[in-house]
Amino acid sequence: MKKEIIINATSEKEIRIAITEDGKLVELFVESPEKERMVGDIYVGKVAKVMPGIQASFIDIGLQQDAFLHFSDIGASLSDYNSLLEDDTEVDTDEADEESQGTFPQQSSPNNGAAVSVEAPPAKPADRRDRRPRPHVNLVKGQDIIVQITKEPVGKKGVRVTSEVSLPGRFLVLLPFDGKIGVSKKISSFKEKRRLRKLVRSILPPTFGVIVRTNAENQDEKLLLQDLEALLNTWHAIEKTVKEENAPALLYKDMATTSSVIRDLFREDVERVVVDSKKLYKEIKAYVKMFSPNMVEKIELYNRREPIFDANGVEKEIATTLARKVWLKSGGYIILDHTEAMTVIDVNSGRYAAKQEQELNSLRTDLEAAREICRQIRLRDLGGIIVIDFIDMEDEKNRKKIYDEVKREFRKDRAKVTVLPLTEFCLMQITRQRVRQSIIHSFTEPCPVCGGSGLIQSKTTIVSQIERWIRRFKSESHETRLTLHVHPSLAQYLTEGTFNRLRKIMWRFFVLVKLEEDKTLAIDEFQFISRKTGKDITAEYKQ
């Protein structure tokens, strides 16, 4: 599989990073001042609320909304620094390659305090070799606590945080509050895992833990030591800052999107990195030269006239991230709809009508749709609950083929994904780790007219609302002269024909209405002004 990283940085306000596999766009990152990356940032905050009923607390970290801290994400705080775990548990883990997605290793260490003491459920199944008791949560309102953002705000929900702080580097992830040494599961060689554990243990200071990332495989000791020293220096700077700042305050800002993508995703399996900005090209090259000098030759500067995304076929594919309907090569298509609770995807056969029997047609369309859906989920960075309505199939073996195909495709995904087999109604349920808002939010904002629903009230409904307003007005007031402000399209609807809708309303309620067009009003809004006082009286007679 040919994997490439293409970076478009010619715009002053926006940097776009595309990950392609065999020429197809599979991941897209957008960096702009309005959509600043927050995952990985470390704050010292104050406990605003402790809510045992939902096993969580809310932390004031200085943002518009308080951060959400689940009890399962509570580990040691800075005040517990001297009572860190002393054991050096060796675990195989793939968390090292997921910290960029917002997951951090589980930690068990009690916090000091007295107000609330609740046994926290494990965030994920514990390692069988880890026999330590579950942590007890002790939080007091107003207490200072160090937290790190693991999930960006989604909709009206604030950021999610953990007190189990970690600092990712090129080869290692430093765990200041944990004594574990872990190695990525993606390193398959037992001999290499043993070498890395031994090497890391020899250079790691006491009380610190570390996870060895996939990038560390077959790397020289000098490069790992260099990475560790950089992480330790960063942590010591954080320790110094926390003594100088009063909560809430930002202690550490993680890398920007471009730097984090190079740090986390530029591996041996990437054939090349192409960037169209000379400044960014030099920065990336300097960073890679420091930590992975053998990969510097893979970095290319793009300087042709044709835009870099056009030349690599990326721009056309970005359009599919905004489309509700995505066509398949066979003539079928998929529909993606977002709700507050989940994403629903519907598979349709469309124009596909081969001569074979219906079951075989359905299987072929569903298999093609399964591959495209998995790509779209990664590309759009969809998270939470996803339900797919495949075309009905009677044969259980065929439903199993769809399930296996989806599982196979999601092996390429860095996010944690759980897939359930198809039901009798050919519905598939998926949960995917949510770290940030869907990529569509980087390109769009809610419509000021429909509020993001895609629907507005019909003109008939608005006219009925106007009639009800006038009925309430006449029941409480003796005035007979009003000015009505509406959008031009509604004004046209009201005044169509000789004996139009507005005239009928005036005759019915014995009121004289002067109609004024107002382009600043939404299509489904109206405004009544008293001609006697000149005041806006719309709100007084609304239900």
Side-chain angles (χ1 to χ4, degrees), residues 349-378:
S349 57
R351 299 188 300 265
Y352 183 56
K355 294 180 181 179
Q356 291 87 349
E357 60 181 282
Q358 182 180 346
E359 182 81 3
L360 185 56
N361 290 346
S362 299
L363 175 61
R364 289 182 173 177
T365 303
D366 281 346
L367 283 171
E368 185 184 5
R371 291 186 284 270
E372 183 61 28
I373 286 170
C374 293
R375 186 176 80 96
Q376 288 294 328
I377 288 173
R378 290 177 63 196

XYZ file of all heavy atoms in Angstrom, residues 349-378:
244
model
N -29.003 0.549 -3.514
C -28.477 -0.078 -4.738
C -28.457 0.889 -5.912
O -27.666 0.735 -6.841
C -29.298 -1.308 -5.105
O -30.666 -0.956 -5.269
N -29.330 1.919 -5.894
C -29.333 2.933 -6.945
C -29.556 2.342 -8.322
O -30.479 1.565 -8.540
N -28.662 2.692 -9.255
C -28.811 2.252 -10.650
C -28.323 0.823 -10.874
O -28.462 0.282 -11.955
C -28.016 3.187 -11.571
C -28.462 4.634 -11.539
C -27.756 5.419 -12.617
N -26.317 5.405 -12.461
C -25.628 6.351 -11.839
N -26.269 7.369 -11.270
N -24.325 6.287 -11.746
N -27.705 0.223 -9.823
C -27.101 -1.097 -10.008
C -28.184 -2.165 -10.127
O -28.933 -2.403 -9.204
C -26.168 -1.412 -8.837
C -25.443 -2.728 -8.978
C -24.663 -2.985 -10.103
C -25.533 -3.695 -7.997
C -23.985 -4.180 -10.245
C -24.852 -4.897 -8.124
C -24.083 -5.130 -9.255
O -23.414 -6.316 -9.384
N -28.262 -2.819 -11.273
C -29.265 -3.871 -11.477
C -28.699 -4.908 -12.437
O -29.050 -4.977 -13.610
C -30.559 -3.281 -12.026
N -27.785 -5.693 -11.957
C -27.156 -6.719 -12.792
C -28.132 -7.869 -13.029
O -29.206 -7.928 -12.444
C -25.891 -7.232 -12.120
N -27.749 -8.785 -13.879
C -28.658 -9.860 -14.260
C -28.739 -10.958 -13.197
O -29.643 -11.770 -13.220
C -28.201 -10.461 -15.587
C -28.314 -9.486 -16.763
C -27.838 -10.132 -18.049
C -27.937 -9.157 -19.211
N -27.448 -9.755 -20.479
N -27.756 -11.011 -12.307
C -27.763 -12.066 -11.317
C -28.915 -11.886 -10.332
O -29.567 -10.856 -10.307
C -26.422 -12.075 -10.547
C -25.228 -12.516 -11.372
C -24.594 -11.358 -12.114
O -25.167 -10.275 -12.168
N -23.447 -11.608 -12.709
N -29.107 -12.883 -9.508
C -30.189 -12.855 -8.537
C -30.001 -11.728 -7.527
O -28.898 -11.220 -7.336
C -30.273 -14.202 -7.827
C -28.992 -14.579 -7.084
C -29.107 -15.932 -6.412
O -29.741 -15.975 -5.340
O -28.568 -16.915 -6.950
N -31.083 -11.378 -6.857
C -31.096 -10.220 -5.952
C -30.098 -10.369 -4.813
O -29.436 -9.406 -4.431
C -32.507 -10.038 -5.395
C -32.615 -8.813 -4.484
C -34.017 -8.648 -3.932
O -34.947 -9.279 -4.411
N -34.158 -7.805 -2.941
N -29.979 -11.555 -4.249
C -29.065 -11.758 -3.116
C -27.626 -11.436 -3.502
O -26.895 -10.788 -2.750
C -29.171 -13.206 -2.619
C -28.307 -13.529 -1.404
C -28.921 -13.081 -0.090
O -30.057 -12.568 -0.111
O -28.263 -13.224 0.955
N -27.222 -11.875 -4.690
C -25.863 -11.614 -5.161
C -25.669 -10.121 -5.440
O -24.619 -9.547 -5.134
C -25.572 -12.433 -6.415
C -24.142 -12.359 -6.972
C -23.124 -12.758 -5.916
C -24.015 -13.232 -8.214
N -26.671 -9.472 -6.026
C -26.605 -8.024 -6.252
C -26.420 -7.277 -4.937
O -25.590 -6.364 -4.819
C -27.887 -7.531 -6.928
C -28.007 -8.004 -8.358
O -27.036 -8.486 -8.947
N -29.201 -7.892 -8.915
N -27.223 -7.670 -3.952
C -27.164 -7.013 -2.640
C -25.799 -7.207 -1.994
O -25.231 -6.272 -1.412
C -28.254 -7.564 -1.723
O -29.536 -7.325 -2.264
N -25.244 -8.412 -2.094
C -23.934 -8.695 -1.509
C -22.852 -7.834 -2.141
O -22.017 -7.250 -1.452
C -23.599 -10.179 -1.666
C -22.197 -10.602 -1.196
C -22.020 -10.323 0.290
C -21.944 -12.078 -1.508
N -22.867 -7.740 -3.473
C -21.838 -6.956 -4.161
C -21.930 -5.473 -3.806
O -20.909 -4.811 -3.576
C -21.968 -7.148 -5.674
C -21.536 -8.529 -6.143
C -21.639 -8.669 -7.645
N -21.077 -9.938 -8.108
C -21.077 -10.344 -9.362
N -21.633 -9.574 -10.295
N -20.547 -11.502 -9.700
N -23.141 -4.968 -3.777
C -23.308 -3.550 -3.418
C -22.899 -3.311 -1.970
O -22.214 -2.323 -1.660
C -24.779 -3.123 -3.614
O -25.162 -3.373 -4.960
C -24.949 -1.638 -3.319
N -23.291 -4.209 -1.075
C -22.954 -4.049 0.346
C -21.449 -4.137 0.592
O -20.904 -3.401 1.420
C -23.675 -5.110 1.183
C -25.132 -4.754 1.439
O -25.494 -3.589 1.206
O -25.895 -5.627 1.882
N -20.762 -5.026 -0.130
C -19.308 -5.137 0.030
C -18.603 -3.862 -0.425
O -17.687 -3.365 0.244
C -18.783 -6.337 -0.765
C -18.999 -7.727 -0.146
C -18.632 -8.814 -1.139
C -18.193 -7.881 1.142
N -19.033 -3.328 -1.579
C -18.448 -2.073 -2.068
C -18.764 -0.931 -1.110
O -17.898 -0.101 -0.799
C -18.980 -1.755 -3.463
C -18.330 -0.521 -4.080
C -18.927 -0.142 -5.418
O -19.916 -0.772 -5.830
O -18.407 0.801 -6.035
N -20.002 -0.903 -0.613
C -20.408 0.140 0.326
C -19.631 0.037 1.632
O -19.253 1.053 2.223
C -21.909 0.045 0.600
N -19.371 -1.183 2.097
C -18.635 -1.386 3.355
C -17.248 -0.759 3.279
O -16.806 -0.080 4.211
C -18.531 -2.879 3.660
N -16.556 -0.962 2.155
C -15.218 -0.385 1.987
C -15.271 1.142 1.949
O -14.449 1.824 2.567
C -14.559 -0.944 0.724
C -14.200 -2.417 0.820
C -13.422 -2.891 -0.400
N -14.288 -3.061 -1.559
C -14.913 -4.185 -1.875
N -14.782 -5.252 -1.111
N -15.654 -4.271 -2.974
N -16.249 1.677 1.207
C -16.365 3.132 1.098
C -16.803 3.761 2.412
O -16.334 4.844 2.786
C -17.354 3.490 -0.009
C -17.508 4.989 -0.257
C -16.217 5.663 -0.685
O -15.355 4.981 -1.288
O -16.068 6.867 -0.408
N -17.693 3.100 3.142
C -18.159 3.625 4.433
C -17.008 3.715 5.423
O -16.855 4.716 6.133
C -19.306 2.755 4.980
C -20.590 3.007 4.194
C -19.541 3.037 6.468
C -21.703 2.030 4.496
N -16.179 2.675 5.478
C -15.020 2.699 6.389
C -14.078 3.842 6.044
O -13.534 4.508 6.929
C -14.279 1.362 6.345
S -15.222 -0.012 7.027
N -13.887 4.081 4.738
C -13.031 5.204 4.307
C -13.664 6.535 4.682
O -12.975 7.446 5.173
C -12.797 5.125 2.794
C -11.793 6.159 2.285
C -11.535 5.973 0.809
N -12.569 6.549 -0.010
C -12.503 7.772 -0.562
N -11.459 8.546 -0.341
N -13.478 8.204 -1.321
N -14.965 6.669 4.475
C -15.651 7.917 4.800
C -15.640 8.183 6.306
O -15.516 9.332 6.733
C -17.090 7.876 4.288
C -17.233 7.969 2.773
C -16.790 9.317 2.228
O -16.918 10.346 2.887
N -16.261 9.322 1.018
N -15.767 7.147 7.107
C -15.733 7.312 8.563
C -14.378 7.837 9.004
O -14.277 8.736 9.835
C -16.075 5.982 9.267
C -17.569 5.665 9.110
C -15.704 6.026 10.743
C -17.978 4.297 9.621
N -13.304 7.289 8.429
C -11.957 7.774 8.756
C -11.750 9.189 8.225
O -11.204 10.052 8.909
C -10.907 6.848 8.149
C -10.823 5.472 8.788
C -9.809 4.610 8.063
N -8.457 5.157 8.161
C -7.435 4.791 7.384
N -7.638 3.899 6.415
N -6.249 5.322 7.546
